[in-house]
Amino acid sequence: MLLRNRLLSLNLTSFLSPPFPPPKSASFLFSFDKTIAHSTHKRPESKPDMSASRAAKQPMSERARFAKTVLFVPPGVDPEDVTDEMILPGSNIVVGPYAGHSQIKEVEFVKSSGRAKDCPKDDRPEFAILGRSNVGKSSLINALVRKKEVALTSKKPGKTQLINHFLVNKSWYIVDLPGYGFARASDAARTDWSSFTKGYFLNRDTLVAVLLLIDASVPPQRIDLDCANWLGRNNIPMTFVFTKCDKLKASKGKRPDENIRDFQELIRENYKQHPAWIMTSSVTGLGRDELLLHLSQLRNYWDQ
């Protein structure tokens, strides 16, 4: 019960009450092992399937069933072995043996690309940051690297119109992608952004995962759900990064935790296993270290 109680403390009770009903639309399922192998053309080495032998001896426990359905259990972790201490605060992410060094010591801008084929051509792993134009992408990048001008911030949404690569610790990339849903952009411009961004997702072998930013200060947006569904249908690994979680009191409508709960209830209609999610704030630093630790275990597994 400790696992459930910890997550329930985030006031996400309606989402986290197992058992789940059958998905209303099972057009695709999210599995970390399948999707990360798909995106990198790698598969884990064959090892004795201890979980399979254990399952053959006894039925899956309620703890393991809860972990497999609600939590993001990375490679190297048996759902039966997940404990409360292994879950990162403010998230559903379990820390496994691939988690390692996560500090950012240096970051440098490499280039901006107007087409996916013009992006840096090397074997370094990368994480793409995607979201609506006013979701706080640049602010999150600046908070992660602790530099104010790494990614330009602007009061005018839609400033980023290219694929921007930032090299971190000379070993991996943060990729700032154009925001979607910028109402003031022309229809042609929005189509172009969508076209080359999707081309990047479908043709970038070094892409480890997409950080899909969701504004927790507003109710679930259809455009965010559509984006998540498109990524899922194309087997592109993702982590939901909820931004603006410092706004504990809502001036209008619901609180961030309530909006997060509502978003997850909609997501579970298409996902049998819920993708990783984490709460963040570029103002208070909430979730910064935990998100970097999560990226480290994805990156280290990709490097195997």
Side-chain angles (χ1 to χ4, degrees):
M1 294 297 294
L2 287 176
L3 293 176
R4 187 180 305 174
N5 290 340
R6 176 164 182 162
L7 291 176
L8 292 182
S9 66
L10 296 176
N11 196 25
L12 305 178
T13 52
S14 64
F15 168 66
L16 296 175
S17 299
F20 286 164
K24 296 179 181 178
S25 174
S27 58
F28 59 89
L29 302 177
F30 184 93
S31 166
F32 178 82
D33 288 327
K34 290 182 180 179
T35 52
I36 200 150
H38 172 86
S39 66
T40 60
H41 305 293
K42 296 182 180 181
R43 293 189 180 277
E45 296 179 1
S46 297
K47 297 180 180 180
D49 192 348
M50 301 303 293
S51 60
S53 61
R54 178 182 298 181
K57 297 179 180 179
Q58 60 183 17
M60 182 182 297
S61 68
E62 181 181 354
R63 169 185 290 269
R65 187 178 299 107
F66 178 79
K68 285 179 66 68
T69 309
V70 175
L71 302 179
F72 178 82
V73 182
V77 177
D78 190 309
E80 294 280 1
D81 298 329
V82 174
T83 64
D84 179 72
E85 291 73 20
M86 296 169 67
I87 306 173
L88 292 176
S91 80
N92 73 333
I93 299 169
V94 175
V95 177
Y98 288 99
H101 175 74
S102 58
Q103 295 181 352
I104 292 182
K105 295 183 176 180
E106 59 178 316
V107 59
E108 60 180 300
F109 170 74
V110 176
K111 68 177 299 188
S112 295
S113 307
R115 299 175 299 178
K117 66 180 182 180
D118 296 330
C119 292
K121 295 177 174 60
D122 57 46
D123 294 327
R124 294 184 177 96
E126 56 192 50
F127 296 90
I129 297 184
L130 179 67
R132 288 188 295 113
S133 295
N134 59 348
V135 75
K137 292 191 296 92
S138 296
S139 295
L140 178 69
I141 293 175
N142 291 336
L144 288 176
V145 304
R146 287 182 171 162
K147 292 182 181 294
K148 293 183 179 180
E149 300 299 332
V150 169
L152 294 177
T153 57
S154 173
K155 294 182 179 179
K156 296 181 179 180
K159 190 175 184 65
T160 301
Q161 300 182 29
L162 299 170
I163 303 173
N164 299 302
H165 274 73
F166 299 92
L167 183 60
V168 180
N169 296 343
K170 298 188 183 301
S171 61
W172 57 280
Y173 288 109
I174 289 176
V175 184
D176 186 13
L177 295 174
Y180 55 78
F182 179 34
R184 294 184 182 179
S186 67
D187 290 340
R190 286 201 297 270
T191 299
D192 289 342
W193 295 353
S194 175
S195 178
F196 81 76
T197 299
K198 289 181 178 179
Y200 164 83
F201 289 137
L202 297 175
N203 299 289
R204 194 67 177 167
D205 291 340
T206 52
L207 177 63
V208 177
V210 174
L211 305 184
L212 181 57
L213 274 55
I214 308 296
D215 187 345
S217 69
V218 300
Q221 304 293 301
R222 172 51 56 186
I223 193 170
D224 293 330
L225 295 167
D226 288 345
C227 182
N229 290 343
W230 184 89
L231 292 170
R233 285 195 300 271
N234 287 278
N235 292 322
I236 298 170
M238 78 182 88
T239 293
F240 293 122
V241 179
F242 293 102
T243 63
K244 307 180 184 181
C245 292
D246 55 288
K247 300 181 179 180
L248 298 179
K249 294 183 179 180
S251 58
K252 296 181 180 180
K254 297 182 178 180
R255 300 190 311 269
D257 58 334
E258 294 175 313
N259 290 326
I260 291 173
R261 177 202 60 202
D262 292 345
F263 182 88
Q264 291 174 332
E265 287 180 342
L266 293 171
I267 282 296
R268 81 179 190 189
E269 293 179 1
N270 284 339
Y271 287 83
K272 183 177 180 180
Q273 293 174 279
H274 202 289
W277 61 265
I278 187 168
M279 301 170 69
T280 68
S281 168
S282 60
V283 175
T284 66
L286 172 70
R288 175 191 181 271
D289 294 340
E290 290 79 8
L291 178 56
L292 289 176
L293 187 61
H294 172 57
L295 299 187
S296 80
Q297 66 179 1
L298 297 184
R299 188 170 66 250
N300 290 335
Y301 177 71
W302 185 91
D303 283 333
Q304 298 303 309

